[in-house]
Amino acid sequence: MQENYMVGIYARLSRDDERAGESVSIENQKEMLSRYVREQGWTLYDYYCDDGVSGTTFDRPGLNRLVQDATDRKINLVLCKDLSRLGRDYIEAGKYTDFVFPSLGCRFIALNDGVDTIRKNNEMLVILKNVMNDLYARDTSSKIKAVKQSTFKSGKYVGCYAPLGYRKSAEDKHILEIDPVTAPVVRRIFDLRLQGYGFRKIALQLNAEKVPSPRSFYYMAEGRENLRGETPCWNDVTVKTILRNEVYLGHMVQNKTGTVSYKNHKQISKPESEWIRVEHTHEPLISQETWDAVQRMDNHPARGRSGKSGTIALFGGLLRCMDCGSSMRYLRDYRKRKSGESEYRAYACNRYMSGGKNACSSHYINQKVLVQVVLTDIRCKALWAQNSREGLREQLLAREHAASMERTRTLQAELNAIGKRLPELDRLIQAAYEDKVMGRIPESVCINLLNQYEAERKEKQERSRELTEQLAASRESEKSVDAWLDMMQDYAQLETLDRPTLVRLIQKIEISERHTVDGHEERDIHIYYNFVGYIEE
């Protein structure tokens, strides 16, 4: 007598399968399998479907529900079109057909493959089919990866959402064009950073101004509501990501993330060596000068602190005491003066302000005086760069060359020594293997030697990379000087001094204490410019 089966029909379709057309569609699978159930005189309990889900993962809503109903004895037969619908990982698929379903007293049939677990003569067929499906998934994954890599290398944008400030072109979704609605937000973020704002403070400022977050802008452009419950607020991570994204320079940098394998779809970050970078693929949102200035802010002393008003002092974080090296504290005095001023701004040595005259002296300087000194110096340097560019360039390069010559010689000597040692380590590793094979040394001794050699080799290789980078940086001095000369020529007629200009041009300013020379007071002020440092007249 034939057993009365309660059948659960399982159907699955991945995005890759969609290209095969209607023959593997969910509806086609359901119709074919339900007809088979009727022909056999069985009872159809329910359909279990996973649409758009890869066969290499077994954490699927439909499959999980099917297993639960089998566990609860609601079904005792699982029917699917073929083994590839159950999955394309031969180990996991085999676990379900050989262990999970039988342990639940559940028969399994893959109709088109002729697989039926009630028959004991097709175990080898099941194994071969599962292996073939796994190989198909591996091959498909490799082909998709190759297509994506080719797309990346051609500079085409591949992503669900365009970066904030851009939108996908209506003619070609792989091309970015500036979005007039969100581009001003990106430019404002870069401007706030130039003013010395930290990532968190920029986020707080944008939230205070009720600027929509990037995802909120996306839903607004789509004309639909954000139903995913994502926060509508800015945070420091979002701001930092925007400020580090070279897309705003007009460059495309992709292949930053990937999956663990074709079976494990967990997203991981890739090393920078695997990133694919293509320059000048679309219109930039910010200039190279702005980008360089913002990147310098990460290690720039001029981050500054905001006062009660929420603003950062003009020279905040830029000033240093020439004698003790500490920062200079911003001072404000609101008492009415004879000149009519209601606010008096100045700076003093922070160590003196905290520890008194035994720690240091005041180095007190009025902000108005300092503004005039810095303005004058910037104009002079700009005129010098305009009128005597080659002479100034030679002077700066000669100074840089003298300072870096000894450093370069030391770095190169160490790099040469590593270059000789690495081949020696390769020979020693090979010799250890040969000694072990020939029986000249015990296996334990061989393993110990190999571990030592391999550890030293990794250390040398890492040090070699560091030295190469340092040498490359020391050879960038010529580019740095040229960049500074190009930048300075725009400031010959500078009338007012604001914080973005200061941060863009100046690394730090050292202030000495006042001292008497020939009966009158003097003080030294050393201005260190970005790229080139302090320039003596």
Side-chain angles (χ1 to χ4, degrees), residues 379-403:
R379 290 175 192 148
C380 289
K381 297 298 189 298
L383 288 171
W384 195 359
Q386 280 184 355
N387 301 327
S388 306
R389 180 186 176 97
E390 285 307 312
L392 179 57
R393 183 176 184 274
E394 288 180 14
Q395 177 182 326
L396 293 173
L397 286 175
R399 185 193 65 183
E400 179 63 28
H401 180 69

mmCIF file of all heavy atoms in Angstrom, residues 379-403:
data_model
loop_
_atom_site.group_PDB
_atom_site.id
_atom_site.type_symbol
_atom_site.label_atom_id
_atom_site.label_comp_id
_atom_site.label_asym_id
_atom_site.label_seq_id
_atom_site.Cartn_x
_atom_site.Cartn_y
_atom_site.Cartn_z
ATOM 1 N N ARG A 379 51.967 87.570 1.663
ATOM 2 C CA ARG A 379 52.064 88.387 0.443
ATOM 3 C C ARG A 379 53.500 88.418 -0.081
ATOM 4 O O ARG A 379 53.740 88.310 -1.291
ATOM 5 C CB ARG A 379 51.594 89.805 0.751
ATOM 6 C CG ARG A 379 50.091 89.933 0.998
ATOM 7 C CD ARG A 379 49.782 91.354 1.407
ATOM 8 N NE ARG A 379 48.433 91.506 1.929
ATOM 9 C CZ ARG A 379 48.087 92.384 2.864
ATOM 10 N NH1 ARG A 379 49.015 93.187 3.377
ATOM 11 N NH2 ARG A 379 46.837 92.460 3.268
ATOM 12 N N CYS A 380 54.455 88.577 0.834
ATOM 13 C CA CYS A 380 55.867 88.630 0.415
ATOM 14 C C CYS A 380 56.305 87.324 -0.245
ATOM 15 O O CYS A 380 56.958 87.325 -1.302
ATOM 16 C CB CYS A 380 56.764 88.930 1.621
ATOM 17 S SG CYS A 380 56.617 90.623 2.238
ATOM 18 N N LYS A 381 55.933 86.206 0.403
ATOM 19 C CA LYS A 381 56.307 84.901 -0.162
ATOM 20 C C LYS A 381 55.622 84.687 -1.513
ATOM 21 O O LYS A 381 56.207 84.098 -2.444
ATOM 22 C CB LYS A 381 55.934 83.772 0.805
ATOM 23 C CG LYS A 381 56.666 83.801 2.145
ATOM 24 C CD LYS A 381 58.154 83.640 1.979
ATOM 25 C CE LYS A 381 58.864 83.452 3.314
ATOM 26 N NZ LYS A 381 58.741 84.579 4.250
ATOM 27 N N ALA A 382 54.381 85.143 -1.646
ATOM 28 C CA ALA A 382 53.649 84.994 -2.908
ATOM 29 C C ALA A 382 54.308 85.807 -4.015
ATOM 30 O O ALA A 382 54.472 85.328 -5.149
ATOM 31 C CB ALA A 382 52.193 85.414 -2.722
ATOM 32 N N LEU A 383 54.702 87.046 -3.707
ATOM 33 C CA LEU A 383 55.391 87.880 -4.696
ATOM 34 C C LEU A 383 56.749 87.283 -5.063
ATOM 35 O O LEU A 383 57.167 87.316 -6.226
ATOM 36 C CB LEU A 383 55.560 89.303 -4.146
ATOM 37 C CG LEU A 383 54.276 90.137 -4.069
ATOM 38 C CD1 LEU A 383 54.528 91.433 -3.300
ATOM 39 C CD2 LEU A 383 53.758 90.456 -5.483
ATOM 40 N N TRP A 384 57.425 86.730 -4.078
ATOM 41 C CA TRP A 384 58.713 86.081 -4.310
ATOM 42 C C TRP A 384 58.524 84.897 -5.269
ATOM 43 O O TRP A 384 59.313 84.680 -6.193
ATOM 44 C CB TRP A 384 59.282 85.614 -2.974
ATOM 45 C CG TRP A 384 60.738 85.256 -3.002
ATOM 46 C CD1 TRP A 384 61.573 85.288 -4.079
ATOM 47 C CD2 TRP A 384 61.521 84.805 -1.902
ATOM 48 N NE1 TRP A 384 62.828 84.883 -3.722
ATOM 49 C CE2 TRP A 384 62.839 84.583 -2.377
ATOM 50 C CE3 TRP A 384 61.267 84.584 -0.550
ATOM 51 C CZ2 TRP A 384 63.864 84.132 -1.566
ATOM 52 C CZ3 TRP A 384 62.296 84.135 0.265
ATOM 53 C CH2 TRP A 384 63.578 83.923 -0.234
ATOM 54 N N ALA A 385 57.476 84.127 -5.030
ATOM 55 C CA ALA A 385 57.187 82.978 -5.896
ATOM 56 C C ALA A 385 56.836 83.421 -7.317
ATOM 57 O O ALA A 385 57.163 82.733 -8.288
ATOM 58 C CB ALA A 385 56.045 82.154 -5.304
ATOM 59 N N GLN A 386 56.188 84.591 -7.429
ATOM 60 C CA GLN A 386 55.818 85.102 -8.757
ATOM 61 C C GLN A 386 57.026 85.639 -9.521
ATOM 62 O O GLN A 386 57.233 85.323 -10.693
ATOM 63 C CB GLN A 386 54.774 86.222 -8.608
ATOM 64 C CG GLN A 386 53.355 85.733 -8.396
ATOM 65 C CD GLN A 386 52.371 86.895 -8.356
ATOM 66 O OE1 GLN A 386 52.759 88.070 -8.395
ATOM 67 N NE2 GLN A 386 51.091 86.572 -8.271
ATOM 68 N N ASN A 387 57.830 86.449 -8.833
ATOM 69 C CA ASN A 387 58.887 87.199 -9.516
ATOM 70 C C ASN A 387 60.227 86.458 -9.600
ATOM 71 O O ASN A 387 61.021 86.724 -10.502
ATOM 72 C CB ASN A 387 59.096 88.551 -8.819
ATOM 73 C CG ASN A 387 57.823 89.377 -8.821
ATOM 74 O OD1 ASN A 387 57.019 89.300 -9.757
ATOM 75 N ND2 ASN A 387 57.620 90.172 -7.771
ATOM 76 N N SER A 388 60.493 85.579 -8.636
ATOM 77 C CA SER A 388 61.786 84.870 -8.631
ATOM 78 C C SER A 388 61.574 83.383 -8.397
ATOM 79 O O SER A 388 62.193 82.774 -7.522
ATOM 80 C CB SER A 388 62.703 85.455 -7.544
ATOM 81 O OG SER A 388 62.836 86.843 -7.684
ATOM 82 N N ARG A 389 60.678 82.800 -9.183
ATOM 83 C CA ARG A 389 60.273 81.404 -8.964
ATOM 84 C C ARG A 389 61.465 80.442 -9.000
ATOM 85 O O ARG A 389 61.643 79.632 -8.082
ATOM 86 C CB ARG A 389 59.228 80.991 -10.001
ATOM 87 C CG ARG A 389 58.760 79.546 -9.852
ATOM 88 C CD ARG A 389 57.837 79.107 -10.981
ATOM 89 N NE ARG A 389 57.494 77.711 -10.841
ATOM 90 C CZ ARG A 389 56.385 77.243 -10.285
ATOM 91 N NH1 ARG A 389 55.491 78.095 -9.807
ATOM 92 N NH2 ARG A 389 56.152 75.945 -10.208
ATOM 93 N N GLU A 390 62.305 80.539 -10.045
ATOM 94 C CA GLU A 390 63.390 79.583 -10.200
ATOM 95 C C GLU A 390 64.428 79.712 -9.100
ATOM 96 O O GLU A 390 64.933 78.713 -8.574
ATOM 97 C CB GLU A 390 64.038 79.740 -11.575
ATOM 98 C CG GLU A 390 63.214 79.172 -12.718
ATOM 99 C CD GLU A 390 62.801 77.738 -12.483
ATOM 100 O OE1 GLU A 390 63.678 76.916 -12.102
ATOM 101 O OE2 GLU A 390 61.604 77.419 -12.655
ATOM 102 N N GLY A 391 64.741 80.954 -8.730
ATOM 103 C CA GLY A 391 65.721 81.156 -7.662
ATOM 104 C C GLY A 391 65.221 80.606 -6.338
ATOM 105 O O GLY A 391 65.966 79.947 -5.601
ATOM 106 N N LEU A 392 63.945 80.888 -6.019
ATOM 107 C CA LEU A 392 63.366 80.384 -4.774
ATOM 108 C C LEU A 392 63.288 78.858 -4.807
ATOM 109 O O LEU A 392 63.559 78.186 -3.802
ATOM 110 C CB LEU A 392 61.976 81.001 -4.581
ATOM 111 C CG LEU A 392 61.200 80.577 -3.334
ATOM 112 C CD1 LEU A 392 61.994 80.863 -2.067
ATOM 113 C CD2 LEU A 392 59.854 81.304 -3.278
ATOM 114 N N ARG A 393 62.950 78.333 -5.957
ATOM 115 C CA ARG A 393 62.838 76.876 -6.094
ATOM 116 C C ARG A 393 64.181 76.203 -5.831
ATOM 117 O O ARG A 393 64.264 75.194 -5.105
ATOM 118 C CB ARG A 393 62.333 76.537 -7.500
ATOM 119 C CG ARG A 393 62.101 75.057 -7.765
ATOM 120 C CD ARG A 393 61.497 74.873 -9.165
ATOM 121 N NE ARG A 393 61.173 73.492 -9.424
ATOM 122 C CZ ARG A 393 62.016 72.586 -9.903
ATOM 123 N NH1 ARG A 393 63.276 72.966 -10.182
ATOM 124 N NH2 ARG A 393 61.636 71.336 -10.112
ATOM 125 N N GLU A 394 65.246 76.746 -6.414
ATOM 126 C CA GLU A 394 66.574 76.176 -6.211
ATOM 127 C C GLU A 394 66.997 76.248 -4.747
ATOM 128 O O GLU A 394 67.596 75.317 -4.206
ATOM 129 C CB GLU A 394 67.591 76.907 -7.084
ATOM 130 C CG GLU A 394 67.465 76.588 -8.571
ATOM 131 C CD GLU A 394 68.491 77.340 -9.407
ATOM 132 O OE1 GLU A 394 69.436 77.882 -8.803
ATOM 133 O OE2 GLU A 394 68.342 77.373 -10.640
ATOM 134 N N GLN A 395 66.669 77.371 -4.102
ATOM 135 C CA GLN A 395 67.021 77.540 -2.687
ATOM 136 C C GLN A 395 66.321 76.494 -1.821
ATOM 137 O O GLN A 395 66.947 75.875 -0.950
ATOM 138 C CB GLN A 395 66.621 78.944 -2.217
ATOM 139 C CG GLN A 395 66.878 79.194 -0.734
ATOM 140 C CD GLN A 395 66.417 80.580 -0.300
ATOM 141 O OE1 GLN A 395 66.502 81.534 -1.064
ATOM 142 N NE2 GLN A 395 65.904 80.690 0.914
ATOM 143 N N LEU A 396 65.020 76.302 -2.058
ATOM 144 C CA LEU A 396 64.247 75.354 -1.260
ATOM 145 C C LEU A 396 64.701 73.918 -1.516
ATOM 146 O O LEU A 396 64.820 73.114 -0.580
ATOM 147 C CB LEU A 396 62.752 75.491 -1.584
ATOM 148 C CG LEU A 396 62.108 76.818 -1.158
ATOM 149 C CD1 LEU A 396 60.681 76.909 -1.691
ATOM 150 C CD2 LEU A 396 62.105 76.938 0.370
ATOM 151 N N LEU A 397 64.980 73.587 -2.778
ATOM 152 C CA LEU A 397 65.422 72.231 -3.096
ATOM 153 C C LEU A 397 66.806 71.943 -2.529
ATOM 154 O O LEU A 397 67.077 70.833 -2.066
ATOM 155 C CB LEU A 397 65.417 72.016 -4.612
ATOM 156 C CG LEU A 397 64.039 71.860 -5.275
ATOM 157 C CD1 LEU A 397 64.192 71.778 -6.792
ATOM 158 C CD2 LEU A 397 63.327 70.612 -4.750
ATOM 159 N N ALA A 398 67.684 72.950 -2.557
ATOM 160 C CA ALA A 398 69.030 72.766 -2.005
ATOM 161 C C ALA A 398 68.956 72.507 -0.504
ATOM 162 O O ALA A 398 69.650 71.628 0.031
ATOM 163 C CB ALA A 398 69.876 74.004 -2.289
ATOM 164 N N ARG A 399 68.104 73.256 0.168
ATOM 165 C CA ARG A 399 67.944 73.060 1.614
ATOM 166 C C ARG A 399 67.372 71.675 1.914
ATOM 167 O O ARG A 399 67.840 70.966 2.806
ATOM 168 C CB ARG A 399 67.012 74.136 2.172
ATOM 169 C CG ARG A 399 66.877 74.095 3.694
ATOM 170 C CD ARG A 399 65.714 74.953 4.151
ATOM 171 N NE ARG A 399 64.443 74.414 3.656
ATOM 172 C CZ ARG A 399 63.276 75.012 3.859
ATOM 173 N NH1 ARG A 399 63.225 76.171 4.484
ATOM 174 N NH2 ARG A 399 62.170 74.467 3.405
ATOM 175 N N GLU A 400 66.358 71.286 1.146
ATOM 176 C CA GLU A 400 65.732 69.980 1.360
ATOM 177 C C GLU A 400 66.719 68.852 1.043
ATOM 178 O O GLU A 400 66.761 67.842 1.753
ATOM 179 C CB GLU A 400 64.490 69.857 0.466
ATOM 180 C CG GLU A 400 63.768 68.529 0.577
ATOM 181 C CD GLU A 400 63.220 68.271 1.969
ATOM 182 O OE1 GLU A 400 62.914 69.246 2.687
ATOM 183 O OE2 GLU A 400 63.102 67.089 2.345
ATOM 184 N N HIS A 401 67.496 69.046 0.006
ATOM 185 C CA HIS A 401 68.472 68.019 -0.386
ATOM 186 C C HIS A 401 69.518 67.834 0.702
ATOM 187 O O HIS A 401 69.883 66.696 1.046
ATOM 188 C CB HIS A 401 69.150 68.421 -1.700
ATOM 189 C CG HIS A 401 70.157 67.428 -2.180
ATOM 190 N ND1 HIS A 401 69.812 66.175 -2.637
ATOM 191 C CD2 HIS A 401 71.518 67.515 -2.264
ATOM 192 C CE1 HIS A 401 70.902 65.533 -2.984
ATOM 193 N NE2 HIS A 401 71.950 66.312 -2.772
ATOM 194 N N ALA A 402 69.997 68.937 1.270
ATOM 195 C CA ALA A 402 71.011 68.851 2.326
ATOM 196 C C ALA A 402 70.451 68.155 3.556
ATOM 197 O O ALA A 402 71.141 67.351 4.205
ATOM 198 C CB ALA A 402 71.499 70.255 2.686
ATOM 199 N N ALA A 403 69.186 68.451 3.873
ATOM 200 C CA ALA A 403 68.581 67.869 5.071
ATOM 201 C C ALA A 403 68.287 66.384 4.895
ATOM 202 O O ALA A 403 68.378 65.603 5.844
ATOM 203 C CB ALA A 403 67.283 68.619 5.405
#
